[in-house]
Amino acid sequence: MKQIAEIFSQGEEIVCGQTVDSNAAWLSRQLVEMGFTLKRHTAVGDNLQDLVALFREIGERADCCICTGGLGPTSDDLTAEAVSIASGQSLQFDARAFADIQQYYARRNRVMPEANRKQALLPQSAMRIDNAYGTAPGFALQFKRCWFVFLPGVPSEMKHMFTTLVRQQLLERFDLQPECLVSLRSIGIGESAIQQCLADFDLPDGVQLGFRAAVDEVQTKLLFASSFPEQEKRDCVAAVAERIGDYVFAIDGLNEAQGDLLDVVSKAMSRKSYSLALLETASQGQLAAKCLGCDWLRRVEINLDWGRNTGAGEAGGGDVLPIAKIWAEQLKAREQTDFALVQLFSGSAADYRDKDKAIVLYNALATPSGVVSTQLNAYGALKSKQNQAALLALDLLRRYLQNKCL
């Protein structure tokens, strides 16, 4: 039987949009991986009546609810009081929690404000959850159908408490059967095109298909039931990957996570101690910025005026790809690197800035066995074109490293 979970966030700053609720996203991933079925995210401001009403609602419909925020010492921190009213329990002074709060201030040679005493008042039936990094202890209790867990809103405190204490408590309390989520990560193809690739593919029973489009990639998601046979799962993933084709650069969820495009490239480059020299134009340094800290990137050149210097590019681009190939070979020889990646483009400066016009990207990669290249279009606003140029150049290197270049 599926265990239903919800995420509940408290705070006026979340409701009003002053703070992005990253806690809810992080907690959702943790709970789904554990085997819970997430049904709702709810955010409520600092209103006692609203909080009481929501606790009562969730208590009727969920098996588990992780709540963040509202555990501080100020008058707008209302969580413990709202839980007390909703559940009909009195608040009791927790001497251990109070001692921890006092120690927090003592270690910093500071006097504890009297207001912090409020944080040691917990509902009568609550199980305290110690906070090693802040003053607000968490707590957990059963109310109606639901096991509530209350954690601070500070992300670093919340994550540490959940990882070190709460996760194990939940695993012991609930009989969870985690599903397996496999994500096929691709670049250079849209989600509608991927769906078309899979139009004639019959998913096995017990498998759900979904998509997630992000700025740098599209993820094709396959959710397998916990009882799905392992070999059939791998066969299904392989069949989907084959239909999407060489656009797939990583598959997460079968073994260890392979990571984003840069992670994939960096692991392959480091594994064989390869080195790279780079010339950027359209991406204007974006690719070098993405590779910040990568030891294999030995040389970066950024040429924003290459077309005017050579007479190519803006005039139509007919000679651009041969220039890119020659420059890649020359750069590799000059820098004595294993690879040299040259990125050029054709299109006017006005085309580059115009969100309704495309530019043509020419990427040439000089390798130990010759030069491989791509010719692709980049669309959208200036920053979008810049990012596409960086990613598509990096993807050419990825394709070569994965033996996927024609």
Side-chain angles (χ1 to χ4, degrees):
M1 181 177 176
K2 288 289 187 181
Q3 303 291 333
I4 304 301
E6 295 192 24
I7 306 294
F8 167 38
S9 308
Q10 182 195 332
E12 209 68 41
E13 67 280 4
I14 292 174
V15 175
C16 295
Q18 297 169 334
T19 298
V20 176
D21 189 7
S22 61
N23 285 344
W26 187 87
L27 283 167
S28 294
R29 290 194 297 271
Q30 308 308 308
L31 293 176
V32 168
E33 289 175 3
M34 292 173 65
F36 284 100
T37 297
L38 257 293
K39 287 293 188 181
R40 286 182 177 88
H41 286 191
T42 310
V44 173
D46 303 319
N47 181 284
L48 187 60
Q49 291 182 339
D50 291 343
L51 291 167
V52 170
L54 186 59
F55 288 138
R56 288 173 174 162
E57 289 176 21
I58 295 175
E60 298 281 1
R61 69 189 181 212
D63 299 301
C64 177
C65 181
I66 311 296
C67 310
T68 62
L71 301 181
T74 56
S75 59
D76 58 347
D77 291 306
L78 302 170
T79 296
E81 182 180 358
V83 173
S84 172
I85 295 172
S87 62
Q89 301 182 50
S90 62
L91 292 174
Q92 293 191 345
F93 181 75
D94 188 309
R96 169 65 186 276
F98 187 63
D100 288 343
I101 297 169
Q102 289 178 310
Q103 282 189 344
Y104 176 90
Y105 281 95
R107 287 194 298 268
R108 289 158 178 77
N109 295 317
R110 295 165 55 192
V111 177
M112 187 199 78
E114 183 59 28
N116 286 90
R117 184 182 179 87
K118 168 188 174 183
Q119 294 177 292
L121 295 174
L122 306 180
Q124 185 177 3
S125 67
M127 178 185 75
R128 186 187 65 253
I129 303 174
D130 294 328
N131 182 354
Y133 292 99
T135 63
F139 62 92
L141 54 78
Q142 184 76 35
F143 176 51
K144 298 184 179 179
R145 167 184 169 180
C146 187
W147 178 252
F148 283 91
V149 178
F150 300 92
L151 298 173
V154 179
S156 59
E157 297 177 25
M158 179 277 295
K159 290 178 181 179
H160 183 266
M161 294 166 73
F162 185 91
T163 302
T164 59
L165 299 171
V166 174
R167 183 195 300 275
Q168 186 58 39
Q169 293 168 1
L170 295 178
L171 290 173
E172 293 172 357
R173 190 173 191 89
F174 293 94
D175 181 17
L176 300 172
Q177 296 180 333
E179 297 168 316
C180 176
L181 177 63
V182 178
S183 298
L184 294 86
R185 308 176 71 164
S186 57
I187 182 173
I189 184 172
E191 56 185 327
S192 57
I194 294 176
Q195 184 163 305
Q196 185 62 36
C197 292
L198 302 176
D200 63 346
F201 180 67
D202 293 326
L203 283 172
D205 292 338
V207 183
Q208 297 179 36
L209 172 67
F211 303 95
R212 177 177 178 268
V215 174
D216 291 356
E217 63 183 80
V218 174
Q219 296 181 13
T220 304
K221 295 181 172 294
L222 299 171
L223 185 64
F224 296 88
S226 59
S227 59
F228 200 89
E230 182 65 25
Q231 188 56 52
E232 291 183 33
K233 178 198 308 177
R234 293 181 178 276
D235 292 343
C236 178
V237 172
V240 171
E242 182 179 4
R243 281 164 172 77
I244 299 173
D246 294 344
Y247 300 104
V248 176
F249 64 82
I251 299 176
D252 291 344
L254 286 179
N255 298 306
E256 64 180 23
Q258 294 181 319
D260 62 19
L261 181 62
L262 179 60
D263 290 330
V264 170
V265 170
S266 191
K267 289 173 186 175
M269 292 290 286
S270 299
R271 192 179 302 122
K272 295 191 176 182
S273 300
Y274 285 144
S275 57
L276 174 72
L278 173 64
L279 169 62
E280 296 187 67
T281 56
S283 55
Q284 300 187 18
Q286 182 79 278
L287 180 48
K290 289 179 183 293
C291 298
L292 186 66
C294 296
D295 294 339
W296 44 265
L297 183 58
R298 302 291 174 79
R299 171 75 178 181
V300 177
E301 298 178 9
I302 301 173
N303 188 337
L304 303 182
D305 203 25
W306 82 272
R308 182 179 300 176
N309 294 339
T310 63
E314 190 168 330
D319 297 322
V320 176
L321 192 54
I323 293 173
K325 291 179 178 180
I326 292 170
W327 283 12
E329 291 179 317
Q330 292 175 344
L331 181 60
K332 179 177 180 293
R334 186 174 73 246
E335 299 299 329
Q336 297 185 340
T337 51
D338 297 294
F339 299 97
L341 179 56
V342 169
Q343 168 212 89
L344 304 180
F345 75 98
S346 65
S348 67
D351 292 340
Y352 192 100
R353 292 190 296 268
D354 192 334
K355 65 180 179 62
D356 296 320
K357 292 186 178 180
I359 61 171
V360 184
L361 303 170
Y362 303 88
N363 296 310
L365 178 68
T367 77
S369 57
V371 179
V372 294
S373 61
T374 56
Q375 178 177 326
L376 301 158
N377 293 337
Y379 303 90
L382 187 150
K383 287 187 177 180
S384 177
K385 289 188 175 91
Q386 182 186 20
N387 192 53
Q388 289 176 60
L391 292 170
L392 292 173
L394 186 64
D395 190 53
L396 176 57
L397 177 58
R398 183 273 303 182
R399 286 170 177 265
Y400 181 85
L401 295 168
Q402 292 183 338
N403 298 314
K404 294 181 178 179
C405 283
L406 298 178

